[in-house]
Amino acid sequence: MDEGTQNTPEVTEPTPGRSPRGVRISAARIVGVLLILVIIAGAVAWLRFIHTVPVEGPTAYVDIRPGDSVTTLSQQVFALGMTSSPQALRWYWRLKRGGSLREGRYALKDVGSMEALYQLLASGPPLTVRVTFPEGYTVQQMATRLQEQAGISAAGFLKAARDDQGKLLEGHLFPDTYDVLYAGDAAEVVARMLGRFADVLPSDWVAQAAKRGLTGDQLVRVASIVEKETKYDADRPLVASVIFNRLAKKMLLQLDTTLGYVLPSQGGFYTYAELKYKSPYNTYLHPGLPPTSICNPGLASMNAAAHAPASTYYYFLAKPDGHCVFARTYAEHARNIQLYLAGGS
């Protein structure tokens, strides 16, 4: 090898491959693509999560009852086919930091988004229904009607309709028309009915009871009997006077209506054997008033009990037309029975 050759630098071929800068650019692109895919997947998941399907028809509602949880509610709307998951509403509720649930029925018609669903259930007005309790209804009848018309458990109402000693508040739940939350709180309905009773109670109620040697609750029992025994307001005061006259003479009241509280009659009549039915509500056997009211009286019967006129009547009879006829002696009463129950008017 000559000297010129020895001084010539060796030329080498470049190694195939990417430069570090090129590697960094490619990695950034991959990361970017992956990030875009993650964003797209997240967006798809979010859209699926908040997607709701509007529901229609008579079942397009949910009922939130006392003690229900957001989890239970979330499962309800999923069961209706409204959300994509049994947990969707629950997760959204937590995301929105929603508060506690409010009882009632909520109509879901035209609710087209998760946000609208949340706003309805978190702060929207629940449905209310108007329920009328006729005068003379018992607490049991009120409970049945409330369940049928307002979706409030009859058992829950009967549990709430008791005093501190567990005694049924018969006679003290004023029969009226009430707007109540559908599937709402039974205790709230009872409180309103008690409040209405206190509002309409004659101001001299306790004084009038004391004048007759009765407690306020005993006078309510009299009003409940008047309610059940009469059809027309004009007859109520004299019927009340008959009750007071018999009590004063320590006569048995002998009223079918008190027995009817515990023993249903056949067509409004009792057999001789049934009149011997052993119950403190059987005023054919037990003297004085029954142990509780036999219904929830209306205002006319309450006023009649509080302000019954003095009379000399000890008997009364409801004629076929519903009006009452009164008698001073049993002989007069027997004639009335013969006259009016034999088809007269």
Side-chain angles (χ1 to χ4, degrees), residues 6 16 44 50 118 160 166-167 183 241 246 254 258 269 296 303 329:
Q6 291 177 350
V44 171
I50 65 171
Y118 169 77
K167 181 181 173 183
S241 77
R246 293 179 74 91
Q254 296 182 314
T258 62
F269 296 95
N296 293 277
N303 279 325
T329 66

Side-chain angles (χ1 to χ4, degrees), residues 122-189:
S123 57
L127 293 176
T128 61
V129 290
R130 181 160 291 181
V131 181
T132 297
F133 301 105
E135 296 169 345
Y137 256 36
T138 63
V139 172
Q140 179 63 62
Q141 288 174 310
M142 288 177 166
T144 300
R145 172 160 290 200
L146 198 62
Q147 179 168 295
E148 291 174 347
Q149 297 188 6
I152 295 175
S153 163
F157 182 81
L158 290 172
K159 182 179 179 181
R162 296 183 182 276
D163 62 18
D164 295 339
Q165 286 73 47
K167 181 181 173 183
L168 203 63
L169 293 168
E170 194 74 83
H172 297 267
L173 303 181
F174 190 70
D176 206 344
T177 297
Y178 298 86
D179 291 326
V180 301
L181 289 178
Y182 195 98
D185 188 355
E188 181 180 340
V189 179

Side-chain angles (χ1 to χ4, degrees), residues 188-220:
E188 181 180 340
V189 179
V190 170
R192 289 178 58 193
M193 298 177 82
L194 285 173
R196 183 76 178 118
F197 176 86
D199 289 341
V200 303
L201 192 70
S203 59
D204 59 347
W205 188 261
V206 174
Q208 291 295 334
K211 283 173 58 176
R212 301 183 184 278
L214 302 176
T215 65
D217 180 65
Q218 287 173 325
L219 192 56
V220 175

